[in-house]
Amino acid sequence: MTYGGSTIAGNLSQDTVTLATDPIPNYTFGCLQKTAGNSVPPQGLLGLGRGPLSLLSQSQNLYLSTFSYCLPNFRSLNFSGSLKLGPNGQPLRIKYTPLLKNPRRPSLYYVNLVSIRVGRKIVDIPPNALAFNPSTGAGTIIDSGTVFTRLVQPAYVAVRDEFRRRVRVANVTSLGGFDTCYMVPIIVPTITLMFSGMNVTLPQENLLIHSTAGGITCLAMASAPALNVIGNMQQQNHRVLFDVPNSRVGFAREQCS
């Protein structure tokens, strides 16, 4: 089968898996024999989607399809976030937006991204660039397996151009897949993702990626062909709570490491 840009081969296995003191009998999982590509890390992958073989689906009786995670900043020294399974111990003070279902891609967590603000300005994005469309699979998903946020072309261009205008540095360059990079120190505007019922304001640490050599700083977003994806760098140092029975996902700021 394929995952991202990788091809994987292996065996489907079954056993009792114990998480802390919670046994999950007849748990189905894959044992990889061979991978090609770089989308699958050597540690493997934990399925947190809504598909039938995900951890959430197979442990539904235990954890009631509810979980949250907190991802540390990628430059954190400890680099240890947390995963909380089940409704107990989840944050009470958290902002929610409704989860949407898309029959074309039923395992993904769709949300309604209404608009995006750069600094104090809501940028001009054509409504169909953000609109949820269950017949085509278009819309916006929250995805911990994608590193950087990707926006469809009209949305990305609008955000990028306003970001450049507010940074006010003329020598914009590119690096790899990033087209808004600077070789001098910059003052960075916040970017606010405005969902139905909830705004998530991203500070500098969630917006910039730095090259290991050469002192280049880039806006850590890029364009996408058909689907808006809120990636894990933009989720870092937030508690992200998926409450599937109540069809909602929540965000709250939290220092994860």
Side-chain angles (χ1 to χ4, degrees), residues 92-112:
L92 299 177
R93 298 184 62 184
I94 191 167
K95 299 176 293 184
Y96 287 101
T97 188
L99 272 176
L100 309 176
K101 283 187 176 179
N102 190 323
R104 290 182 66 89
R105 295 174 171 178
S107 69
L108 300 180
Y109 294 108
Y110 277 83
V111 291
N112 186 20

Side-chain angles (χ1 to χ4, degrees), residues 174-214:
S174 60
L175 180 69
F178 303 114
D179 66 359
T180 302
C181 303
Y182 303 90
M183 301 185 72
V184 296
I186 59 173
I187 297 174
V188 182
T190 59
I191 293 181
T192 301
L193 304 174
M194 307 174 78
F195 302 95
S196 295
M198 161 183 98
N199 292 346
V200 178
T201 297
L202 304 175
Q204 177 173 320
E205 66 187 62
N206 293 69
L207 295 175
L208 298 182
I209 187 77
H210 307 277
S211 67
T212 53

Side-chain angles (χ1 to χ4, degrees), residues 51-229:
L53 289 183
S54 74
L55 172 66
L56 270 294
S57 296
Q58 294 194 72
S59 64
Q60 192 170 355
N61 293 337
L62 273 175
Y63 304 125
L64 307 180
S65 297
T66 303
F67 71 100
S68 73
Y69 54 72
C70 196
L71 303 175
N73 183 278
F74 70 97
R75 289 183 292 177
S76 164
L77 294 177
N78 296 326
F79 208 77
S80 58
S82 63
L83 173 69
K84 295 180 180 180
L85 297 169
N88 295 333
Q90 301 293 357
L92 299 177
R93 298 184 62 184
I94 191 167
K95 299 176 293 184
Y96 287 101
T97 188
L99 272 176
L100 309 176
K101 283 187 176 179
N102 190 323
R104 290 182 66 89
R105 295 174 171 178
S107 69
L108 300 180
Y109 294 108
Y110 277 83
V111 291
N112 186 20
L113 179 62
V114 178
S115 53
I116 302 175
R117 190 170 64 214
V118 178
R120 295 182 179 179
K121 181 179 180 181
I122 297 177
V123 297
D124 187 15
I125 299 173
N128 64 354
L130 301 180
F132 173 66
N133 189 333
S135 64
T136 65
T140 302
I141 64 168
I142 308 288
D143 184 30
S144 61
T146 299
V147 180
F148 304 106
T149 289
R150 294 181 176 272
L151 303 172
V152 297
Q153 185 75 7
Y156 174 69
V157 168
V159 171
R160 177 199 68 188
D161 289 355
E162 183 61 21
F163 181 89
R164 289 178 178 180
R165 192 181 74 80
R166 288 183 174 267
V167 170
R168 296 179 181 176
V169 173
N171 61 333
V172 179
T173 184
S174 60
L175 180 69
F178 303 114
D179 66 359
T180 302
C181 303
Y182 303 90
M183 301 185 72
V184 296
I186 59 173
I187 297 174
V188 182
T190 59
I191 293 181
T192 301
L193 304 174
M194 307 174 78
F195 302 95
S196 295
M198 161 183 98
N199 292 346
V200 178
T201 297
L202 304 175
Q204 177 173 320
E205 66 187 62
N206 293 69
L207 295 175
L208 298 182
I209 187 77
H210 307 277
S211 67
T212 53
I216 298 177
T217 299
C218 301
L219 173 64
M221 294 183 179
S223 63
L227 181 65
N228 301 300
V229 182

